[in-house]
Short mmCIF file of all heavy atoms in Angstrom, two decimals:
data_model
loop_
_atom_site.label_atom_id
_atom_site.label_comp_id
_atom_site.label_asym_id
_atom_site.label_seq_id
_atom_site.Cartn_x
_atom_site.Cartn_y
_atom_site.Cartn_z
N GLY T 97 10.44 -27.17 -19.17
CA GLY T 97 11.01 -28.44 -19.59
C GLY T 97 11.88 -29.06 -18.52
O GLY T 97 12.81 -28.44 -18.02
N VAL T 98 11.56 -30.29 -18.16
CA VAL T 98 12.25 -30.95 -17.05
C VAL T 98 13.74 -31.17 -17.33
O VAL T 98 14.57 -31.05 -16.43
CB VAL T 98 11.52 -32.26 -16.66
CG1 VAL T 98 11.50 -33.26 -17.79
CG2 VAL T 98 12.13 -32.87 -15.40
N GLU T 99 14.06 -31.46 -18.60
CA GLU T 99 15.49 -31.71 -18.90
C GLU T 99 16.31 -30.44 -18.62
O GLU T 99 17.38 -30.49 -18.02
CB GLU T 99 15.67 -32.08 -20.39
CG GLU T 99 14.74 -33.17 -20.87
CD GLU T 99 15.40 -34.53 -20.87
OE1 GLU T 99 16.57 -34.62 -20.45
OE2 GLU T 99 14.74 -35.52 -21.29
N LYS T 100 15.75 -29.34 -19.09
CA LYS T 100 16.43 -28.06 -18.90
C LYS T 100 16.56 -27.74 -17.41
O LYS T 100 17.62 -27.31 -16.94
CB LYS T 100 15.55 -26.99 -19.54
CG LYS T 100 16.28 -26.12 -20.54
CD LYS T 100 15.42 -24.92 -20.83
CE LYS T 100 15.20 -24.80 -22.32
NZ LYS T 100 14.33 -23.67 -22.65
N ILE T 101 15.48 -27.97 -16.69
CA ILE T 101 15.49 -27.66 -15.26
C ILE T 101 16.53 -28.53 -14.54
O ILE T 101 17.28 -28.06 -13.69
CB ILE T 101 14.08 -27.84 -14.66
CG1 ILE T 101 13.18 -26.70 -15.18
CG2 ILE T 101 14.11 -27.88 -13.13
CD1 ILE T 101 11.74 -26.74 -14.74
N LYS T 102 16.57 -29.78 -14.93
CA LYS T 102 17.54 -30.70 -14.32
C LYS T 102 18.98 -30.20 -14.55
O LYS T 102 19.81 -30.22 -13.63
CB LYS T 102 17.37 -32.08 -14.95
CG LYS T 102 18.00 -33.18 -14.16
CD LYS T 102 17.66 -34.54 -14.71
CE LYS T 102 18.41 -35.59 -13.89
NZ LYS T 102 18.28 -36.91 -14.46
N ASP T 103 19.22 -29.73 -15.74
CA ASP T 103 20.53 -29.19 -16.09
C ASP T 103 20.91 -27.99 -15.24
O ASP T 103 22.03 -27.89 -14.74
CB ASP T 103 20.44 -28.67 -17.53
CG ASP T 103 21.28 -29.49 -18.46
OD1 ASP T 103 21.55 -30.66 -18.11
OD2 ASP T 103 21.65 -28.95 -19.51
N VAL T 104 19.95 -27.09 -15.09
CA VAL T 104 20.21 -25.88 -14.30
C VAL T 104 20.41 -26.26 -12.83
O VAL T 104 21.31 -25.74 -12.15
CB VAL T 104 19.04 -24.86 -14.45
CG1 VAL T 104 19.29 -23.64 -13.58
CG2 VAL T 104 18.87 -24.44 -15.89
N GLN T 105 19.60 -27.20 -12.35
CA GLN T 105 19.75 -27.64 -10.97
C GLN T 105 21.14 -28.26 -10.76
O GLN T 105 21.76 -28.06 -9.72
CB GLN T 105 18.63 -28.66 -10.62
CG GLN T 105 18.52 -29.03 -9.17
CD GLN T 105 18.00 -27.89 -8.29
OE1 GLN T 105 18.60 -26.80 -8.25
NE2 GLN T 105 16.90 -28.11 -7.60
N ARG T 106 21.58 -28.96 -11.77
CA ARG T 106 22.91 -29.58 -11.67
C ARG T 106 23.99 -28.50 -11.48
O ARG T 106 24.89 -28.64 -10.64
CB ARG T 106 23.20 -30.40 -12.93
CG ARG T 106 24.37 -31.37 -12.81
CD ARG T 106 24.86 -31.88 -14.15
NE ARG T 106 25.07 -30.81 -15.13
CZ ARG T 106 26.09 -29.96 -15.10
NH1 ARG T 106 27.02 -30.04 -14.17
NH2 ARG T 106 26.20 -29.00 -16.01
N VAL T 107 23.87 -27.41 -12.22
CA VAL T 107 24.84 -26.32 -12.06
C VAL T 107 24.83 -25.83 -10.61
O VAL T 107 25.88 -25.65 -9.98
CB VAL T 107 24.53 -25.15 -13.04
CG1 VAL T 107 25.47 -23.98 -12.78
CG2 VAL T 107 24.62 -25.62 -14.48
N ALA T 108 23.61 -25.65 -10.07
CA ALA T 108 23.51 -25.14 -8.69
C ALA T 108 24.12 -26.11 -7.68
O ALA T 108 24.88 -25.69 -6.79
CB ALA T 108 22.05 -24.86 -8.34
N VAL T 109 23.80 -27.39 -7.81
CA VAL T 109 24.25 -28.32 -6.75
C VAL T 109 25.63 -28.92 -7.01
O VAL T 109 26.16 -29.62 -6.16
CB VAL T 109 23.21 -29.44 -6.46
CG1 VAL T 109 21.90 -28.84 -5.97
CG2 VAL T 109 22.98 -30.33 -7.65
N GLU T 110 26.17 -28.66 -8.19
CA GLU T 110 27.53 -29.17 -8.42
C GLU T 110 28.56 -28.05 -8.57
O GLU T 110 29.72 -28.22 -8.24
CB GLU T 110 27.56 -30.07 -9.66
CG GLU T 110 26.86 -31.40 -9.41
CD GLU T 110 26.91 -32.33 -10.60
OE1 GLU T 110 27.73 -32.10 -11.52
OE2 GLU T 110 26.10 -33.29 -10.61
N GLU T 111 28.12 -26.92 -9.08
CA GLU T 111 29.13 -25.91 -9.40
C GLU T 111 29.11 -24.67 -8.51
O GLU T 111 29.93 -23.78 -8.68
CB GLU T 111 29.01 -25.52 -10.89
CG GLU T 111 29.25 -26.70 -11.81
CD GLU T 111 29.24 -26.33 -13.28
OE1 GLU T 111 29.74 -25.25 -13.63
OE2 GLU T 111 28.70 -27.11 -14.08
N SER T 112 28.15 -24.58 -7.61
CA SER T 112 28.19 -23.43 -6.69
C SER T 112 28.87 -23.88 -5.39
O SER T 112 28.86 -25.07 -5.07
CB SER T 112 26.79 -22.90 -6.41
OG SER T 112 26.07 -23.80 -5.60
N ARG T 113 29.44 -22.95 -4.66
CA ARG T 113 30.25 -23.32 -3.49
C ARG T 113 29.45 -24.14 -2.46
O ARG T 113 29.89 -25.18 -2.02
CB ARG T 113 30.79 -22.04 -2.82
CG ARG T 113 31.82 -22.32 -1.73
CD ARG T 113 32.35 -21.02 -1.13
NE ARG T 113 31.44 -20.44 -0.15
CZ ARG T 113 31.48 -20.68 1.16
NH1 ARG T 113 32.39 -21.51 1.64
NH2 ARG T 113 30.63 -20.10 1.98
N LEU T 114 28.25 -23.69 -2.14
CA LEU T 114 27.52 -24.38 -1.07
C LEU T 114 26.50 -25.39 -1.58
O LEU T 114 25.81 -26.03 -0.80
CB LEU T 114 26.86 -23.35 -0.15
CG LEU T 114 27.86 -22.56 0.71
CD1 LEU T 114 27.16 -21.43 1.44
CD2 LEU T 114 28.58 -23.47 1.70
N LYS T 115 26.39 -25.50 -2.88
CA LYS T 115 25.56 -26.54 -3.50
C LYS T 115 24.09 -26.46 -3.06
O LYS T 115 23.42 -27.48 -2.86
CB LYS T 115 26.12 -27.94 -3.20
CG LYS T 115 27.62 -28.03 -3.45
CD LYS T 115 28.13 -29.43 -3.49
CE LYS T 115 29.63 -29.53 -3.78
NZ LYS T 115 30.23 -28.43 -4.54
N ILE T 116 23.60 -25.26 -2.89
CA ILE T 116 22.20 -25.10 -2.46
C ILE T 116 21.29 -25.23 -3.68
O ILE T 116 21.51 -24.54 -4.69
CB ILE T 116 21.99 -23.72 -1.77
CG1 ILE T 116 22.90 -23.63 -0.54
CG2 ILE T 116 20.53 -23.51 -1.41
CD1 ILE T 116 22.88 -22.28 0.13
N PRO T 117 20.31 -26.13 -3.62
CA PRO T 117 19.42 -26.30 -4.78
C PRO T 117 18.57 -25.06 -5.05
O PRO T 117 18.33 -24.26 -4.14
CB PRO T 117 18.53 -27.48 -4.38
CG PRO T 117 18.60 -27.53 -2.89
CD PRO T 117 19.94 -26.99 -2.49
N LEU T 118 18.13 -24.92 -6.28
CA LEU T 118 17.26 -23.81 -6.66
C LEU T 118 15.80 -24.25 -6.54
O LEU T 118 15.47 -25.43 -6.64
CB LEU T 118 17.50 -23.41 -8.12
CG LEU T 118 18.91 -22.97 -8.50
CD1 LEU T 118 18.99 -22.76 -10.03
CD2 LEU T 118 19.28 -21.67 -7.79
N ILE T 119 14.94 -23.26 -6.39
CA ILE T 119 13.50 -23.51 -6.44
C ILE T 119 13.04 -23.02 -7.81
O ILE T 119 13.47 -21.97 -8.28
CB ILE T 119 12.79 -22.80 -5.26
CG1 ILE T 119 11.30 -23.09 -5.25
CG2 ILE T 119 13.00 -21.29 -5.25
CD1 ILE T 119 10.59 -22.60 -3.96
N PHE T 120 12.17 -23.82 -8.47
CA PHE T 120 11.74 -23.47 -9.83
C PHE T 120 10.26 -23.13 -9.86
O PHE T 120 9.41 -23.97 -9.55
CB PHE T 120 12.04 -24.64 -10.78
CG PHE T 120 13.51 -24.85 -10.99
CD1 PHE T 120 14.22 -25.76 -10.22
CD2 PHE T 120 14.20 -24.11 -11.95
CE1 PHE T 120 15.58 -25.95 -10.38
CE2 PHE T 120 15.57 -24.28 -12.13
CZ PHE T 120 16.26 -25.20 -11.34
N GLY T 121 9.97 -21.91 -10.26
CA GLY T 121 8.59 -21.44 -10.25
C GLY T 121 8.02 -21.23 -11.64
O GLY T 121 8.76 -21.14 -12.62
N MET T 122 6.72 -21.19 -11.70
CA MET T 122 6.05 -20.88 -12.97
C MET T 122 4.61 -20.44 -12.68
O MET T 122 4.04 -20.79 -11.65
CB MET T 122 6.03 -22.10 -13.89
CG MET T 122 5.63 -21.74 -15.33
SD MET T 122 5.25 -23.16 -16.36
CE MET T 122 6.86 -23.58 -16.96
N ASP T 123 4.06 -19.70 -13.63
CA ASP T 123 2.66 -19.32 -13.51
C ASP T 123 1.77 -20.47 -13.99
O ASP T 123 1.32 -20.49 -15.14
CB ASP T 123 2.38 -18.08 -14.35
CG ASP T 123 3.04 -16.84 -13.78
OD1 ASP T 123 2.52 -16.34 -12.78
OD2 ASP T 123 4.08 -16.41 -14.32
N VAL T 124 1.56 -21.42 -13.11
CA VAL T 124 0.64 -22.52 -13.43
C VAL T 124 -0.69 -22.08 -12.83
O VAL T 124 -0.99 -22.36 -11.68
CB VAL T 124 1.15 -23.84 -12.80
CG1 VAL T 124 0.24 -24.99 -13.18
CG2 VAL T 124 2.58 -24.11 -13.22
N ILE T 125 -1.46 -21.37 -13.60
CA ILE T 125 -2.59 -20.63 -13.03
C ILE T 125 -3.90 -21.42 -13.08
O ILE T 125 -4.65 -21.45 -12.13
CB ILE T 125 -2.76 -19.27 -13.76
CG1 ILE T 125 -1.44 -18.49 -13.76
CG2 ILE T 125 -3.90 -18.46 -13.14
CD1 ILE T 125 -0.91 -18.10 -12.40
N HIS T 126 -4.16 -22.02 -14.22
CA HIS T 126 -5.37 -22.86 -14.31
C HIS T 126 -5.04 -24.08 -15.16
O HIS T 126 -5.63 -24.34 -16.20
CB HIS T 126 -6.58 -22.09 -14.85
CG HIS T 126 -6.35 -21.30 -16.10
ND1 HIS T 126 -6.95 -21.62 -17.30
CD2 HIS T 126 -5.59 -20.23 -16.36
CE1 HIS T 126 -6.56 -20.75 -18.23
NE2 HIS T 126 -5.74 -19.91 -17.69
#
Side-chain angles (χ1 to χ4, degrees):
V98 61
E99 310 262 2
K100 233 194 235 178
I101 289 178
K102 197 172 177 188
D103 248 23
V104 177
Q105 189 70 302
R106 195 195 49 74
V107 175
V109 298
E110 289 182 16
E111 299 184 38
S112 71
R113 189 178 79 92
L114 290 171
K115 313 194 178 334
I116 300 174
L118 301 174
I119 183 170
F120 292 94
M122 193 192 273
D123 290 285
V124 183
I125 307 298
H126 49 113

